[in-house]
Amino acid sequence: MIDTHSHLYLDKFDEDREAVNERAVEAGVTGIFLPAIDFDSIPKMEKLEHPGLSFYKMAGIHPCDVPEQLPDELEEKLMEFCSREDFYGVGETGLDYYWSTDRVEQQKESLRIHCKVAKAVGKPIIIHNRESTDDMLDLIEAEQDGNLTGIWHCFNGTVEEGRRAIDMGLHLGIGGVLTFKNGGVDKTVAQLPLDKMILETDAPYLSPTPKRGKRNEPAFMKYTAEKLAEIFGLSLQEVDERTTATARQLFGIV
Ligand SMILES: [Zn+2]
């Protein structure tokens, strides 16, 4: 399995990162994508290594970390990292109106810049979205010129929103929220195409049931995969193979 979204470089894993990596391997995880929160994330990512795991770096500024004044050199810095061969995506970026609506314009401008860089380097964009779905989809639609690919990370939209996202070239990142009782994401996901879905954890956040409330880690992705298998009436192995193939194709890895 490939965890397409994990913040394993954060200090929440400093104490036992080796054990976390070991458990990931035991659970069948072979690759982990690392979305950045800011540029300080990158040196921390570069320290990650484990013989059983491939780590894939990405560069971006999380919408909750967008400053009051966007740095002039944002586009240039993103280009510098994202055009490198050892960077696989642009993000995470996106919109978040849940935590604050003080910087909506800055968040949108930042997302536009990330889209521009993603199109220029031909790598997927990683989109965070919270209570901002219409604005996010409108902005992506406006940016889509046929060259933009990406992931609606931690998908929790409606069937219509999911279809709209897929129609404009996005994939859906399926995380622990899928397993939440009364979350409703399972019913929505059942009506959308599995071949547009990839697995993710968002570790250390959003642990799936039965680990809900605890620190999340890549090994816990198996619970989300099991739920996805149940929804589509497939074996765990088939879900694993199909989502892994989709992730490989999207990110252009072998
Ligand atoms: Zn994230």
Side-chain angles (χ1 to χ4, degrees):
M1 291 187 288
I2 293 178
D3 183 351
T4 60
H5 195 116
S6 186
H7 301 277
L8 219 53
Y9 53 86
L10 291 178
D11 57 12
K12 285 202 167 65
F13 296 102
D14 283 354
E15 299 260 296
D16 62 344
R17 191 169 281 109
E18 197 50 37
V20 168
N21 286 337
E22 212 46 63
R23 286 195 291 272
V25 171
E26 278 164 30
V29 176
T30 54
I32 300 177
F33 282 81
L34 306 164
I37 288 169
D38 52 25
F39 289 106
D40 293 337
S41 308
I42 293 168
K44 296 181 213 162
M45 287 177 193
E46 291 186 319
K47 290 196 192 117
L48 297 181
E49 53 175 352
H50 188 279
L53 294 169
S54 301
F55 292 103
Y56 302 98
K57 296 189 287 285
M58 309 196 267
I61 295 188
H62 193 286
C64 296
D65 291 275
V66 162
E68 182 63 41
Q69 176 80 40
L70 284 184
D72 291 336
E73 69 281 10
L74 177 59
E75 183 179 333
E76 198 184 322
K77 263 180 111 173
L78 282 173
M79 274 300 287
E80 181 193 321
F81 286 112
C82 297
S83 60
R84 273 168 53 176
E85 239 169 62
D86 60 336
F87 277 72
Y88 291 83
V90 184
E92 69 185 275
T93 174
L95 304 175
D96 190 318
Y97 300 169
Y98 173 79
W99 289 107
S100 165
T101 48
D102 293 346
R103 294 180 187 169
V104 166
E105 285 316 311
Q106 290 92 329
Q107 289 188 16
K108 284 185 179 174
E109 187 51 24
S110 175
L111 176 54
R112 279 188 209 103
I113 292 170
H114 283 72
C115 286
K116 187 177 176 191
V117 170
K119 288 184 277 189
V121 299
K123 293 174 189 175
I125 190 168
I126 315 304
I127 306 163
H128 169 107
N129 173 64
R130 198 159 178 200
E131 301 197 356
S132 48
T133 306
D134 287 344
D135 280 7
M136 185 275 281
L137 291 173
D138 287 349
L139 195 152
I140 297 298
E141 195 166 60
E143 288 294 323
Q144 183 56 278
D145 62 355
N147 294 309
L148 187 62
T149 63
I151 298 168
W152 178 346
H153 142 66
C154 195
F155 172 71
N156 63 348
T158 63
V159 176
E160 291 69 30
E161 289 161 350
R163 287 203 185 111
R164 193 178 161 207
I166 290 169
D167 285 347
M168 60 176 82
L170 296 181
H171 282 71
L172 309 179
I174 308 295
V177 178
L178 182 72
T179 66
F180 292 179
K181 239 186 169 171
N182 307 322
V185 179
D186 52 345
K187 291 183 188 69
T188 307
V189 161
Q191 297 177 65
L192 292 165
L194 177 64
D195 290 336
K196 293 293 178 185
M197 297 177 198
I198 50 168
L199 293 169
E200 61 171 41
T201 57
D202 202 19
Y205 315 108
L206 295 170
S207 267
T209 307
K211 304 284 184 185
R212 195 170 177 181
K214 300 207 170 78
R215 182 191 67 177
N216 200 0
E217 60 176 72
F220 298 167
M221 203 168 66
K222 64 178 181 232
Y223 301 112
T224 307
E226 279 167 4
K227 183 72 189 176
L228 205 54
E230 184 195 311
I231 290 169
F232 285 101
L234 298 169
S235 68
L236 181 60
Q237 194 191 342
E238 187 158 3
V239 161
D240 173 3
E241 283 171 8
R242 285 171 66 173
T243 53
T244 300
T246 306
R248 286 187 190 288
Q249 195 188 21
L250 177 62
F251 286 104
I253 57 168
V254 282

